Amino acid sequence: MKRIFTLFVGVLCVIVAMAQNTDAMLFGDVKAKETKEHLPHAMIVVKGTNLKTKCDGSGHFKLPNLPVGKQIVIASVDGYQEQEVEVEMVSGKSVTVYFELDKDPLELSQVVVTGTRTSHFVKNVPIRTEVLTNQALKRKNAQSLYEALEGVPGVRVEEQCQACNFSMVRMQGLGAEHTQVLIDGEPMYSGLAGVYGLQQMGTNDVDRLEIVKGAGSALYGSSAVAGAINIISKEPTYEPSINADLQLGNWGYKSYKGSGSMRYKNVGVMVSAQRMEMDALDETQAGNTRSEVKHKDGVSDRVYSLMNNLGLSFYFYSPFATNDKLIIRAKALDEVRMGGTMTDNLYLNPFSAGTENIRTDRLSADLAYTLPIGSKSELNLAAAYVRHKRNATNDTFLSSYQESHPDPANPKGPGLSPDVEIMRPYLAKENSFSPSLTFTSMLGKHTLLAGVQGYFTNLRETGLYAIDDDTSPYYGKAYTSIGEKHANEVGFFIQDEWNALPGLTIVPGLRLDTHNSREEYTASEKVFDGNFPQTKFSKATFNPRLAIKYELSKALVLRANFGTGFRAPYGFSEDLHLCSGSPRVWKSSELNGERSISYNVSADYYGKNYQLSLNIFRTDLKDKIQFAPASENVKKLGYTYQWENVDDAYVQGIEIGAKATLFRNFNAGLNWTFNQGKFKHERAEWADANDEENKKYPQRLAYAKESKNISRFPAMTGDLTLEYTPGTWTFSLTSSLQGKMYIDYNSEDDGTQSKIKKTNLFTLWNCRIAKRIGSFSVYAGGKNIFSYIQDERHLDDAAFMYAPVYGATWYAGLSLTL
């Protein structure tokens, strides 16, 4: 191995030494076309090569040793449209070129990397990519990833637990388990992190979000069936800068953010910190109509939360070779959330009935190194490590213990409480490591990419439980469950980005993945006759992808994308949301991994001051995995829930979008999506007359037809954005529409009330106003300003959520930039 590594390094050194030394120099500057002012730190790239540089603080640049002959040079900077200029380079001579860039109000000149793992301007990328810029995050007042993704076409974020506010993201009708969330291109967002991570990950150090819908598995492996969301971190600024932000709102909302950035010679440093606090909130109660719902019941609708995010990054430019780059980043996150009975502050006691008390501690570190090889090739090495810990209590043990230990003095009461000395929280500790190596080379009309990526994780859980099955000989026994979970994934991928004809780009790709996972459970006490079964899963999969981009004209671009995907049955957030120690959730070794086939066809028209878009999508799923109550045989093993391959299914839809500068300083955007998602057959839990639950409550069978619909997938969604920016003022108004959808209600108190509800259409409205005064900005705004709330609530099914359960939130803030 040592010899191979030495040979590899030697070959790289030879290739670097063979880099061109033509002494063909390019000089120039970059200005804004409208004001004629120089634009500092604009990016200068020689098309078809990896040669690039940035302008200095005065907007001037120089680029040595360009290839001789005709070259196309591109200038770009945030907020302006890129410009291409053709130059004739001669060995030993210099050429001067001057760029004048138009403003880019529609933000189409963003550089993206997620769709193909190579850099493209967003309007030129072969794989359709949507971008949320840092400015867009500010306009939305997005303090977390959850708030950032609200209102993105085809993406839906939602809370799924009325008790702890567990949240998830859905893309084109598919759940979080089908969406790969990446941090700077690495899969650092596990099932454990996914439970509360959307609300925990702040935006203070985020440069942009890149969203790719459709078959992403050919590049990103398991969990990218629906697509990928890539969180791109900020880089240090050229001039030293300090940013501070203070924000206060109703219901105890407080947000404090600060960041500092600088570069000295070839070293850049960036520090960021964010602290956010929200009080527990009680505004609504159980009810069958909105008039019944909109009254307090003494139980929190929003948990108290206190979150801290810290980040430190070092960037080393040309540390070992010309134009190479080394990045080292570290982040720390901690959060506490508490909810439950607010009367007499009972929810502050973590072991009381109905209480959720969850503490998260997360540390992450990653390294990325980019080495240009000659003028046509590049090597990228990355590695990321995450340690994620959770300490949580809920009333699962308390309620089971009380149910199995009736109080003789009060047989109809809640039962006897356990000795406080035996009470323990659920503890989870996960360690994950993800390395990757990618090589890219431009050969004529081809950009070839090959790489390998690994993901290695282990998770240990412990939880306290009591047997509450009165038919068990171990009825009432308390025990500690210990869960050990491991997964290893290695993926090899290749891709060819082929510019076959002028305007026609064809991108075939293939990924081979090997997945091996294992789950083992032990108990401190004997709680059934036998041992907890061990589950194993091992699978190798090939996932091809083909993307085509054709420019019918400079303004009209057509794209098509086809690919397959795979989802391994491991690391489900729903398991970990239950704070279970997981003997409660059975995952059979016979469980099949999901397979998918996805299709996307889109058209984008880029006018001078407007963009029109159309996207048609469909994904077919085979052996869709779904969470369900345990079958009778599985219950005998000591489990409460199980994962099962329920059926084949599909999701499909049409997305229509438009954004435009309607007049000076006034931008508008409108997106509309029509969706459909169905299982191949009616779901057995609602349609099978032999199902134990259906035998007990036969009225459930009346919803058999509705059970074919995929839950929580609105038939229609829409988003409207209006923004007016005269001078130093900014006024914005946004709205989101959620159409009718189906959602299961499984009543724990009265099974006769269980049903599949078809929700009503509703809209939510947000507004914001800001004024810039020198280095300061003053702003204020509101979310859900018309206080729309869910029109039906049932607290005995924590997952029965489909709309806000409290009214408007208002905020005001002050920010400073130096």
Side-chain angles (χ1 to χ4, degrees):
M1 178 63 72
K2 185 176 180 180
R3 291 179 179 178
I4 294 174
F5 179 76
T6 303
L7 178 62
F8 179 71
V9 172
V11 171
L12 289 181
C13 292
V14 170
I15 294 174
V16 172
M18 293 172 61
Q20 289 180 311
N21 186 16
T22 63
D23 199 28
M25 301 285 291
L26 183 69
F27 295 89
D29 66 10
V30 181
K31 295 180 179 179
K33 188 173 183 179
E34 183 178 9
T35 64
K36 305 302 180 183
E37 294 180 354
H38 281 95
L39 298 174
H41 314 304
M43 176 66 74
I44 309 298
V45 177
V46 181
K47 192 173 184 178
T49 75
N50 58 20
L51 299 175
K52 57 188 175 183
T53 189
K54 279 196 172 184
C55 294
D56 59 22
S58 68
H60 293 79
F61 68 89
K62 67 176 180 179
L63 192 57
N65 296 316
L66 268 65
V68 297
K70 291 184 178 180
Q71 305 294 331
I72 295 177
V73 183
I74 306 172
S76 64
V77 68
D78 286 351
Y80 291 83
Q81 299 177 29
E82 78 276 10
Q83 183 182 1
E84 295 185 1
V85 174
E86 185 179 276
V87 295
E88 181 80 30
M89 303 306 300
V90 179
S91 180
K93 294 187 177 181
S94 64
V95 175
T96 302
V97 62
Y98 304 104
F99 292 95
E100 292 190 347
L101 307 187
D102 288 311
K103 284 189 174 182
D104 180 27
L106 302 182
E107 298 179 332
L108 299 177
S109 295
Q110 285 291 316
V111 176
V112 295
V113 296
T114 307
T116 59
R117 287 185 182 260
T118 54
S119 297
H120 291 275
F121 292 110
V122 66
K123 68 179 182 181
N124 297 330
V125 65
I127 311 293
R128 194 168 188 270
T129 304
E130 295 172 54
V131 181
L132 277 175
T133 65
N134 182 259
Q135 291 301 314
L137 298 180
K138 287 182 180 179
R139 292 194 295 266
K140 298 175 73 169
N141 195 52
Q143 303 296 309
S144 65
L145 181 58
Y146 181 95
E147 294 178 342
L149 292 172
E150 288 181 312
V152 175
V155 176
R156 184 170 176 266
V157 288
E158 60 186 26
E159 291 186 2
Q160 282 209 264
C161 180
Q162 300 182 68
C164 69
N165 300 161
F166 158 53
S167 61
M168 72 184 310
V169 59
R170 294 180 181 273
M171 186 178 289
Q172 293 184 337
L174 301 178
E177 66 276 8
H178 297 100
T179 303
Q180 183 71 278
V181 177
L182 307 164
I183 301 177
D184 294 304
E186 296 301 314
M188 300 169 63
Y189 188 85
S190 65
L192 184 62
V195 179
Y196 305 110
L198 289 177
Q199 295 156 324
Q200 291 172 338
M201 293 187 178
T203 58
N204 196 29
D205 61 347
V206 174
D207 178 67
R208 65 186 185 277
L209 299 179
E210 297 182 9
I211 301 164
V212 177
K213 303 169 192 170
S217 288
L219 280 182
Y220 295 106
S222 182
S223 301
V225 170
I229 298 170
N230 197 2
I231 305 168
I232 308 296
S233 300
K234 291 178 181 177
E235 285 204 27
T237 55
Y238 281 86
E239 284 81 26
S241 66
I242 297 176
N243 297 279
D245 183 271
L246 169 64
Q247 191 174 131
L248 303 174
N250 61 336
W251 291 327
Y253 171 75
K254 309 176 191 71
S255 173
Y256 316 90
K257 294 192 297 185
S259 64
S261 176
M262 66 171 292
R263 294 193 191 191
Y264 178 72
K265 294 185 177 180
N266 68 330
V267 179
V269 181
M270 183 168 179
V271 181
S272 64
Q274 182 175 2
R275 180 181 178 90
M276 187 165 64
E277 183 177 14
M278 295 185 291
D279 287 348
L281 173 63
D282 172 29
E283 286 291 306
T284 52
Q285 65 177 6
N288 292 312
T289 64
R290 185 171 288 108
S291 60
E292 294 177 2
V293 168
K294 60 179 183 180
H295 298 283
K296 298 180 180 182
D297 60 359
V299 179
S300 62
D301 302 318
R302 184 183 75 184
V303 297
Y304 167 85
S305 66
L306 175 63
M307 178 190 71
N308 296 296
N309 272 291
L310 296 172
L312 175 63
S313 304
F314 293 95
Y315 286 68
F316 301 92
Y317 302 92
S318 301
F320 310 117
T322 303
N323 289 330
D324 68 335
K325 182 165 70 172
L326 174 65
I327 305 171
I328 301 174
R329 285 181 288 248
K331 295 182 181 181
L333 177 154
D334 67 79
E335 187 211 44
V336 58
R337 57 176 61 202
M338 299 181 291
T341 301
M342 298 180 65
T343 305
D344 295 328
N345 289 325
L346 185 61
Y347 74 100
L348 298 179
N349 177 357
F351 295 105
S352 60
T355 292
E356 299 273 353
N357 187 297
I358 302 158
R359 298 173 185 271
T360 301
D361 178 16
R362 175 184 171 95
L363 295 174
S364 66
D366 67 289
L367 175 149
Y369 179 64
T370 301
L371 175 66
I373 301 173
S375 63
K376 299 286 186 177
S377 302
E378 187 174 89
L379 185 72
N380 291 276
L381 170 68
Y385 167 77
V386 178
R387 190 208 69 181
H388 196 105
K389 296 172 67 176
R390 191 195 304 164
N391 178 322
T393 61
N394 59 24
D395 64 353
T396 300
F397 172 71
L398 177 63
S399 60
S400 294
Y401 188 94
Q402 290 177 331
E403 183 178 337
S404 58
H405 294 77
D407 184 354
N410 184 16
K412 295 185 178 181
L416 298 174
S417 294
D419 186 342
V420 70
E421 295 293 331
I422 71 170
M423 300 291 277
R424 296 289 187 277
Y426 162 86
L427 300 174
K429 182 178 180 180
E430 181 181 49
N431 290 282
S432 302
F433 178 62
S434 177
S436 66
L437 180 67
T438 306
F439 179 75
T440 307
S441 186
M442 305 173 194
L443 300 174
K445 295 182 178 181
H446 299 264
T447 299
L448 302 176
L449 179 145
V452 58
Q453 184 175 51
Y455 181 69
F456 310 99
T457 181
N458 65 78
L459 171 67
R460 176 183 171 85
E461 309 173 279
T462 61
L464 185 63
Y465 299 93
I467 300 298
D468 57 7
D469 180 3
D470 58 10
T471 65
S472 170
Y474 305 96
Y475 181 60
K477 180 172 283 191
Y479 69 100
T480 297
S481 166
I482 303 168
E484 300 279 357
K485 302 181 179 183
H486 313 272
N488 298 320
E489 288 185 353
V490 179
F492 301 87
F493 52 89
I494 57 173
Q495 176 183 275
D496 178 18
E497 195 172 323
W498 176 30
N499 295 310
L501 296 169
L504 175 64
T505 302
I506 301 174
V507 187
L510 176 68
R511 177 161 174 148
L512 166 65
D513 277 288
T514 61
H515 174 96
N516 294 280
S517 58
R518 184 178 77 254
E519 300 186 11
E520 307 170 34
Y521 307 106
T522 56
S524 62
E525 305 285 340
K526 187 177 179 64
V527 290
F528 69 94
D529 296 327
N531 296 315
F532 283 115
Q534 184 183 98
T535 65
K536 294 182 179 179
F537 184 82
S538 181
K539 185 75 172 179
T541 61
F542 284 95
N543 290 299
R545 181 178 74 173
L546 177 65
I548 300 173
K549 185 195 77 169
Y550 182 58
E551 298 179 9
L552 278 175
S553 66
K554 192 173 181 179
L556 181 58
V557 179
L558 305 179
R559 295 179 178 90
N561 184 15
F562 161 83
T564 66
F566 169 73
R567 175 197 175 196
Y570 177 83
F572 299 147
S573 293
E574 188 61 43
D575 294 12
L576 304 163
H577 161 231
L578 290 172
C579 298
S580 59
S582 286
R584 297 177 65 204
V585 185
W586 168 240
K587 193 182 292 128
S588 169
S589 294
E590 303 302 316
L591 199 63
N592 296 321
E594 285 183 2
R595 296 305 308 261
S596 68
I597 301 177
S598 295
Y599 319 82
N600 280 78
V601 178
S602 65
D604 291 275
Y605 186 85
Y606 304 99
K608 184 177 180 180
N609 294 310
Y610 63 94
Q611 178 191 355
L612 305 176
S613 60
L614 172 69
N615 183 41
I616 302 172
F617 66 89
R618 180 181 172 100
T619 296
D620 292 300
L621 294 172
K622 182 175 178 58
D623 292 328
K624 188 178 189 306
I625 300 171
Q626 186 146 314
F627 193 69
S631 65
E632 290 302 309
N633 290 334
V634 172
K635 284 181 181 178
K636 293 176 183 178
L637 298 175
Y639 293 83
T640 309
Y641 306 97
Q642 70 183 56
W643 289 100
E644 56 185 8
N645 297 110
V646 291
D647 200 1
D648 298 343
Y650 72 87
V651 292
Q652 62 185 15
I654 299 175
E655 298 174 359
I656 302 171
K659 56 183 178 180
T661 302
L662 299 180
F663 52 84
R664 184 179 176 85
N665 300 321
F666 187 86
N667 296 323
L670 178 65
N671 296 285
W672 213 269
T673 305
F674 301 92
N675 303 307
Q676 184 184 56
K678 289 183 179 292
F679 290 101
K680 187 175 181 180
H681 304 98
E682 296 169 347
R683 283 184 284 151
E685 61 185 291
W686 295 96
D688 184 0
N690 294 318
D691 182 88
E692 292 298 323
E693 194 74 7
N694 293 337
K695 285 182 180 179
K696 191 174 180 181
Y697 305 108
Q699 61 270 24
R700 291 172 59 94
L701 298 172
Y703 297 98
K705 183 178 180 181
E706 287 86 347
S707 73
K708 287 189 68 175
N709 296 283
I710 290 181
S711 297
R712 300 179 178 275
F713 191 25
M716 178 175 62
T717 60
D719 301 284
L720 172 69
T721 301
L722 301 174
E723 184 180 51
Y724 182 46
T725 55
T728 57
W729 288 90
T730 300
F731 303 89
S732 63
L733 178 69
T734 62
S735 176
S736 60
L737 175 147
Q738 180 176 294
K740 297 181 179 181
M741 69 178 186
Y742 294 91
I743 181 171
D744 293 3
Y745 168 46
N746 289 290
S747 175
E748 292 186 4
D749 294 343
D750 183 1
T752 63
Q753 299 301 309
S754 296
K755 63 180 179 179
I756 298 178
K757 177 181 173 64
K758 187 176 184 180
T759 66
N760 294 318
L761 179 150
F762 66 87
T763 60
L764 302 176
W765 294 83
N766 309 316
C767 65
R768 188 174 190 269
I769 180 172
K771 167 69 174 177
R772 191 175 69 254
I773 307 170
S775 298
F776 291 89
S777 289
V778 182
Y779 59 88
K783 297 184 178 183
N784 188 19
I785 58 177
F786 297 117
S787 293
Y788 181 87
I789 60 171
Q790 191 165 303
D791 59 3
E792 181 180 347
R793 284 195 75 189
H794 302 289
L795 304 183
D796 59 341
D797 182 353
F800 190 73
M801 292 187 74
Y802 54 88
V805 291
Y806 55 88
T809 57
W810 303 96
Y811 62 87
L814 174 69
S815 63
L816 169 67
T817 301
L818 297 176

